[in-house]
Amino acid sequence: MTVWVPMLLALTLPIFYFYYGRYNSYERFFSSPGAEATLSPYLFEWIFAIVLFGIVPLLASIGLLGTKPKESGFSLGSFSKIWLIFLLSMALIILYAWGAARFYEFQEIYPRYKLIGMENDGIVMIYYTTLIIAILFREFFFRGFLLQALKVRLGGWGAIIFTAAISSPLYLNGSPVESTLAIPLNLIFGWIAYKSGSVFYTAILSALWFIAIDWFIILGI
């Protein structure tokens, strides 16, 4: 059960999220003729991700497998083992976001920066807070709950490759560059989570991408 439950969730939850959890599933609820777009569909996307990748695996981990969240990466882990790769990854993520912000294909895929100016500061703070929590839980599912369960049977690199293969399709959104880079980035994230025993560091890197690309475009840097 310690392997088959995570494996079953790994094969079902990402597919369910891809088809029913993204913002375009909610756009029709927040649009009307002549109405301006809002952050609401994106906010609901992150709430859906919190439930799917956070609450569901937490209940499965505690209720079915009898494991504690810290055993699945909800701890600070060993930063000393990954600090150099982590800092280099932060620099590369910022550089990647800076370069991507200049390309039309990314500006079309990431329209959230256009919507931020339409909302008051409170809504924007709620949006980013929900985004960060959703990213943390998504990392918990892939790089914590799933990776830690599978490494016993598949070994470290086997679990890293499997979780990268499962999570990478979530980044298939129309940009050839981002879709291609999703695979090596997920491998690096898996290695960082495996070596550190924590999902917090990969969550920081992932959140950095979303926030940086928005604000590089907003500020025109």
Side-chain angles (χ1 to χ4, degrees):
M1 183 177 287
T2 56
V3 173
W4 289 110
V5 169
M7 187 75 76
L8 178 62
L9 293 179
L11 296 175
T12 55
L13 295 189
I15 296 173
F16 194 70
Y17 173 76
F18 188 87
Y19 285 106
Y20 302 106
R22 291 187 161 194
Y23 70 93
N24 46 22
S25 299
Y26 304 100
E27 282 182 320
R28 64 183 183 274
F29 299 114
F30 299 99
S31 63
S32 58
E36 290 184 333
T38 68
L39 284 173
S40 299
Y42 298 97
L43 190 60
F44 272 79
E45 175 184 2
W46 299 128
I47 293 173
F48 191 91
I50 290 172
V51 174
L52 205 64
F53 297 129
I55 296 176
V56 171
L58 277 173
L59 290 175
S61 178
I62 296 171
L64 295 177
L65 307 180
T67 57
K68 298 178 181 179
K70 67 179 182 179
E71 297 176 52
S72 297
F74 251 116
S75 68
L76 294 179
S78 302
F79 183 68
S80 60
K81 295 182 178 180
I82 52 94
W83 70 271
L84 181 58
I85 297 297
F86 176 75
L87 294 178
L88 287 173
S89 298
M90 285 190 70
L92 289 174
I93 288 289
I94 292 173
L95 182 62
Y96 176 27
W98 177 76
R102 283 155 172 70
F103 286 92
Y104 179 77
E105 65 178 81
F106 282 90
Q107 294 175 11
E108 285 297 301
I109 294 169
Y110 290 94
R112 280 155 278 198
Y113 78 93
K114 301 174 185 176
L115 307 179
I116 290 172
M118 300 178 184
E119 304 285 5
N120 60 50
D121 293 342
I123 296 296
V124 174
M125 288 300 298
I126 291 173
Y127 167 74
Y128 277 120
T129 300
T130 309
L131 164 66
I132 291 170
I133 295 172
I135 288 173
L136 175 60
F137 278 130
R138 190 173 67 183
E139 288 302 307
F140 165 73
F141 176 69
F142 289 112
R143 251 69 70 166
F145 174 74
L146 186 58
L147 189 146
Q148 297 300 327
L150 296 181
K151 72 178 184 180
V152 178
R153 295 294 182 89
L154 302 180
W157 273 108
I160 290 170
I161 292 171
F162 182 87
T163 53
I166 291 293
S167 58
S168 292
L170 295 183
Y171 298 86
L172 298 176
N173 54 17
S175 167
V177 175
E178 187 175 11
S179 300
T180 302
L181 288 177
I183 297 173
L185 283 174
N186 276 284
L187 288 172
I188 293 171
F189 280 14
W191 184 88
I192 290 173
Y194 175 71
K195 295 295 288 186
S196 67
S198 172
V199 300
F200 288 111
Y201 306 116
T202 55
I204 291 171
L205 293 173
S206 188
L208 181 62
W209 157 258
F210 281 99
I211 296 172
I213 193 169
D214 270 351
W215 288 94
F216 277 137
I217 298 174
I218 290 170
L219 300 176
I221 297 176

